[in-house]
Amino acid sequence: MRRLPIFFVLDVSESMVGEPLSQMEEGIEKIVSTLRQDPHSLETVSIGLIAFAGKAKAITPLIDLVSFYPPKMPIGGGTSLGIALDVLMKEIDTQVVKTTLEARGDWQPLVFLITDGKPTDQPQASVARWQKEYADQVSMVAITLGKNADMQVLKQLTDDVLTLESSTEEDFRKFIEWVSASVKAQSQQIEVEGQSSGVSLAKVSEGGLTLVKNTEQYSNSDPDYVILTGKCSKTKKPYLMKYAKIQTAGMDQFIKQERFGLEGAYALDNTYFEWSSEQFTPESVNTSVLDGAPPCPSCGNTIAFAICECGHILCMDGSGFVECPWCDKPLQFDMNGKGGDFNVNRGQG
Ligand SMILES: [Zn+2]
Ligand SMILES: [Zn+2]
């Protein structure tokens, strides 16, 4: 049986923490359950999932729809697009059956690459290898969540770069329906016409998507989020604090400085470090542009935003004594002192 291999290459960098990641997890489940109800897809479609942050891994090898079990997505620091492409190319080489003189292999694979940020690695060598050896034989659609992705580098991978600008639940649902419909259409075409021609972009607008034609207009967008990584002093586990850019309008247009409001704090487990890049020089952000300070999402300590001399963020209760979970130094915080603003290191995005 010739399979139709579908690869999802999913960005699980820090900025995806919270709502976007759970939407993505639910989205994959929805795609699989929709395709299972379609006899054509059930017969041909196999799905593989690759997640990437600072590191990239195949979290589900190419598997048929019936056996597919939706995995829990990790979170990590960094957006290593080059490493993600390397993993994708390896998966295509090892999992997709090639057509030989003796036997017909799998159908042309389809790749949905979904990302929300700019690469933090140097992807050029991998991009060049993709162009030279894979681009003609694999059809790829790159989808950006928001405008902060590097459209130029994605355009080098495929002409089909789409952007989902809205992040409402409704629009994400439409987008997921569009992906399911595209895969269904492919498996039908295979059955009826005996060929696969890649995803049709005719109905992208129904999925709430915009085809990116001119990459220039996106080139200067700054990140919408400030993400800070802390470690809980009780559980020793990492957590993220996510601050979203506050849209200033009307009278505020005269205030030049950007501000970021707390969107949430999220407890993670130690797999976070396995998915993060090791080499990373953080940019710093001044706390004066951040609004809101959460309690520790890991242990409930009242202050998640204490900072050690080692430069790292940790949680503490009001008592003032704590051991830094990053460097093990005992710390005493003066709770009566004036809490002035200071610089903290941003995450990798
Ligand atoms: Zn804590
Ligand atoms: Zn420390």
Side-chain angles (χ1 to χ4, degrees), residues 308-312 314 324-329 331:
C308 174
E309 287 164 34
C310 70
H312 285 110
L314 59 139
C324 175
W326 298 89
C327 71
D328 300 332
K329 206 180 270 176
L331 300 169

Side-chain angles (χ1 to χ4, degrees), residues 54-55 77-78 80 83 273-282 348:
K55 309 271 172 61
S80 297
I83 299 174
F273 296 105
E274 292 163 24
W275 284 86
S276 298
S277 327
E278 279 128 30
Q279 277 114 18
F280 173 66
T281 319
Q348 309 178 35

Side-chain angles (χ1 to χ4, degrees), residues 164-235:
L164 182 69
E165 286 183 15
S166 154
S167 59
T168 65
E169 220 171 294
E170 171 67 8
D171 284 314
F172 198 83
R173 192 183 56 75
K174 278 197 216 155
F175 159 59
I176 291 299
E177 278 170 13
W178 176 81
V179 174
S180 311
S182 302
V183 175
K184 263 202 240 176
Q186 272 307 283
S187 56
Q188 258 165 42
Q189 195 193 25
I190 281 169
E191 204 119 315
V192 177
E193 297 170 31
Q195 60 165 334
S196 153
S197 59
V199 170
S200 158
L201 299 180
K203 292 182 176 166
V204 287
S205 61
E206 286 175 24
L209 298 156
T210 317
L211 182 63
V212 174
K213 289 183 186 134
N214 173 15
T215 57
E216 305 276 297
Q217 69 185 102
Y218 297 98
S219 58
N220 287 322
S221 50
D222 292 323
D224 286 332
Y225 297 103
V226 169
I227 314 263
L228 303 170
T229 310
K231 223 184 213 186
C232 174
S233 52
K234 283 188 187 157
T235 66

Side-chain angles (χ1 to χ4, degrees), residues 57-87:
K57 276 176 227 170
I59 50 175
T60 308
L62 202 58
I63 198 164
D64 63 85
L65 285 174
V66 177
S67 318
F68 184 89
Y69 186 81
K72 190 178 159 18
M73 303 283 185
I75 281 279
T79 307
S80 297
L81 181 65
I83 299 174
L85 287 171
D86 292 344
V87 172

Side-chain angles (χ1 to χ4, degrees), residues 70 100 160 188 212 242 262 274:
T100 61
D160 301 341
Q188 258 165 42
V212 174
K242 185 176 186 180
L262 181 69
E274 292 163 24

